[in-house]
Amino acid sequence: MENEVSEEHLKEIARQLSCPDGEYGIKTGEMMNNSNIGMTRSAIDALKLKPNDVILEIGHGNAAHVANILDSAENLTYYGVDISKTIIAEAEKINAEFIKEKLASFTLTDGKTIPFEDNKFDKLFTVNTIYFWQNPFQYLQEIRRILKPNGLLIIAFADKTFMETLPFTKFGFNLYDELKAFEILSNAGFEILKSEHKNEAIENSKGFMVNRDYYVLSAICHK
């Protein structure tokens, strides 16, 4: 019985990480922002933001980092999409002033399609969401559609070897190493410009410091 409860708890953690919901989801969003901030900053740096860039982030979490993005260059416009109503509400609350100034907006999506017109974005980034893409090829086609010609895509994800040490990732996570990520990007028509292998110390759920290996992939969208 104890093992069954433990497994159910792990499944709930996995579910909340993929789509935070309710009060637990709000706390999950805060936790994800704290644990992912290093990866998020690396992804933002890789965007090499320029004045007037229009940016989309997929799976923005509570979006407490948007202020840092908008400070990176003049006249930036930020859009975020997420599959969680809870997270959208938190992001809108945290970034209410930017929304009022029409510098940021957040949109609920189904995780399969991205509800924007063709060729809208200069740059797109996503951190720790690739594990949950149900059909990576089709989703990358959606990303190609909404990126401008020669638009930049940044994908940050933790290495498969590290992710396999987390007990909840066996429930609904599709894990990646660098080669597998290269393959799905190439198959979807992206040219890989750069792959950065990084390592950071983070605090795990038990309060211990562990080392996380992750990648920041930069790819260009040819049309």
Side-chain angles (χ1 to χ4, degrees), residues 162-177:
F162 169 78
M163 293 294 285
E164 286 175 337
T165 68
L166 307 176
F168 50 80
T169 58
K170 59 186 176 182
F171 301 108
F173 284 67
N174 188 9
L175 305 183
Y176 287 81
D177 56 21

Side-chain angles (χ1 to χ4, degrees), residues 62 91 205 208:
N62 68 11
S205 60
F208 297 112

Side-chain angles (χ1 to χ4, degrees), residues 34-212:
N34 291 333
S35 65
N36 290 340
I37 193 62
M39 294 178 67
T40 300
R41 287 171 178 159
S42 292
I44 294 167
D45 288 345
L47 288 171
K48 301 187 185 306
L49 293 170
K50 298 178 180 178
N52 304 308
D53 275 346
V54 181
I55 312 140
L56 177 67
E57 181 179 8
I58 295 172
H60 48 73
N62 68 11
H65 55 277
V66 169
N68 293 332
I69 294 174
L70 294 175
D71 282 342
S72 299
E74 295 293 324
N75 299 318
L76 297 177
T77 307
Y78 170 95
Y79 292 79
V81 295
D82 205 285
I83 63 173
S84 165
K85 291 181 180 180
T86 297
I87 283 298
I88 292 281
E90 281 298 292
E92 288 179 338
K93 183 168 67 175
I94 289 170
N95 296 282
E97 193 60 35
F98 297 134
I99 295 171
K100 184 178 178 181
E101 296 172 5
K102 300 189 184 305
L103 299 175
S105 66
F106 300 92
T107 302
L108 186 68
T109 183
D110 60 7
K112 299 176 183 178
T113 58
I114 306 174
F116 294 102
E117 64 269 25
D118 296 358
N119 305 316
K120 181 176 178 65
F121 298 101
D122 298 289
K123 292 167 182 177
L124 187 154
F125 78 106
T126 187
V127 178
N128 284 335
T129 71
I130 191 173
Y131 327 114
F132 307 115
W133 296 358
Q134 295 179 29
N135 188 319
F137 178 82
Q138 289 183 6
Y139 201 58
L140 283 166
Q141 293 304 306
E142 271 289 272
I143 289 172
R144 283 190 73 220
R145 180 184 65 77
I146 62 174
L147 275 173
K148 295 177 182 178
N150 299 318
L152 183 64
L153 168 64
I154 305 296
I155 299 179
F157 64 96
D159 184 67
K160 178 180 180 179
T161 302
F162 169 78
M163 293 294 285
E164 286 175 337
T165 68
L166 307 176
F168 50 80
T169 58
K170 59 186 176 182
F171 301 108
F173 284 67
N174 188 9
L175 305 183
Y176 287 81
D177 56 21
E178 186 180 39
L179 180 59
K180 184 177 178 181
F182 280 3
E183 287 176 352
I184 66 165
L185 284 166
S186 297
N187 290 341
F190 285 86
E191 177 189 351
I192 297 162
L193 300 177
K194 187 176 183 181
S195 175
E196 298 179 85
H197 182 193
K198 295 177 174 284
N199 179 274
E200 63 178 351
I202 60 168
E203 185 176 320
N204 67 14
S205 60
K206 296 181 180 179
F208 297 112
M209 299 304 293
V210 296
N211 287 316
R212 172 166 64 185

